[in-house]
Amino acid sequence: MAPSGAALAAKLAALSLNLGRRLPVVDQIAGGIRAMIVSGDLKPGDRVVESRIARQIGVGQPTVREALVALEHQGLVVRKANQGCVVTVLTRAEISQLLRVRDQLEGMAISLAMEIASDREIQRLVDTALLMQEAAEARDLPRFFDLDVRFHETLWQLSGNFILPKLLSQTLMPLLAFLFMRNLRDNNQFELAAAATAHVEIAEAILKRDRKSARQVARRKFRQFTEEHLGSYRSEGSE
């Protein structure tokens, strides 16, 4: 299914106007396409046509291809035979497997952060979680998603382990993005306040160097996240 519509065309036009003004062009293109995926302009299963994007924003096709490679590494798009790049679609079984891996890896990140991160660094986690509470109160799901991503990326970096951020980005980013897209499409907002509070509790437990409490809260949050999303899952394709 090829993406179409005035909203997508307008965002590509805006991306074209801003290219080269801040970040490297490839990074801007990757960020622009990622924003379209997160916003739902590009939906799971949609084709991301290199030639069309290159033509519309006025760059070479290899530049767009490089941006898509970056998104592929993040798990947001996949390359399929005879289709090119398509926005990632996850089955219920795949989501379940990703959640199990995430539980173990992020639990390790929490433990490592308590060992090596400074109080000032951990306070950034607390501050982000508090902003998540504000977004939850406002029922602002896009902002909540962006803050959620910021929280987890910060946590991974605080682990001090250069491998964990790469593994968790490949595991969690496509999962969060896919579930966020599905929630927007279905107008299905889970209990944001409880999720935000769990993030605050995790961050504060890390700040207190309370390993037991942090792990217990994290496991409770992971279990809640799993039950909510798998329990309401309607297959996007095959199981």
Side-chain angles (χ1 to χ4, degrees), residues 24-191:
V25 170
V26 169
D27 292 345
Q28 288 189 62
I29 295 172
I33 297 173
R34 177 186 179 276
M36 293 173 206
I37 292 173
V38 169
S39 68
D41 292 303
L42 288 167
K43 298 177 175 57
D46 277 352
R47 291 181 63 213
V48 186
V49 183
E50 292 176 6
S51 58
R52 176 186 174 183
I53 293 175
R55 182 172 61 253
Q56 187 157 353
I57 65 178
V59 300
Q61 196 166 327
T63 304
V64 176
R65 186 175 302 119
E66 187 177 350
L68 290 175
V69 167
L71 295 176
E72 189 175 6
H73 288 163
Q74 295 174 19
L76 296 175
V77 300
V78 295
R79 290 190 180 273
K80 294 189 175 182
N82 302 320
Q83 293 186 57
C85 269
V86 300
V87 180
T88 299
V89 178
L90 298 176
T91 66
R92 189 181 193 280
E94 289 167 339
I95 291 174
S96 179
Q97 291 169 16
L98 286 170
L99 286 169
R100 292 186 67 181
V101 172
R102 176 262 185 110
D103 186 0
Q104 296 300 314
L105 292 179
E106 201 153 49
M108 184 185 301
I110 289 170
S111 295
L112 291 172
M114 279 188 285
E115 291 178 7
I116 68 169
S118 69
D119 287 355
R120 182 176 180 180
E121 290 173 325
I122 298 171
Q123 185 61 46
R124 285 163 39 208
L125 276 183
V126 177
D127 293 342
T128 301
L130 292 173
L131 290 175
M132 289 177 68
Q133 285 188 320
E134 293 179 6
E137 290 175 5
R139 305 302 293 175
D140 188 342
L141 189 57
R143 176 162 170 73
F144 185 92
F145 171 79
D146 287 341
L147 289 167
D148 194 11
V149 169
R150 184 195 304 177
F151 179 95
H152 291 285
E153 287 181 332
T154 301
L155 172 60
W156 307 338
Q157 293 296 331
L158 293 184
S159 73
N161 184 305
F162 76 94
I163 296 176
L164 273 179
K166 297 178 183 178
L167 293 176
L168 279 161
S169 179
Q170 292 173 353
T171 300
L172 192 54
M173 285 298 293
L175 177 64
L176 289 177
F178 176 74
L179 294 177
F180 171 73
M181 287 185 287
R182 186 163 60 85
N183 291 342
L184 277 184
R185 184 198 63 203
D186 296 343
N187 193 28
N188 182 19
Q189 296 189 20
F190 288 109
E191 185 47 60

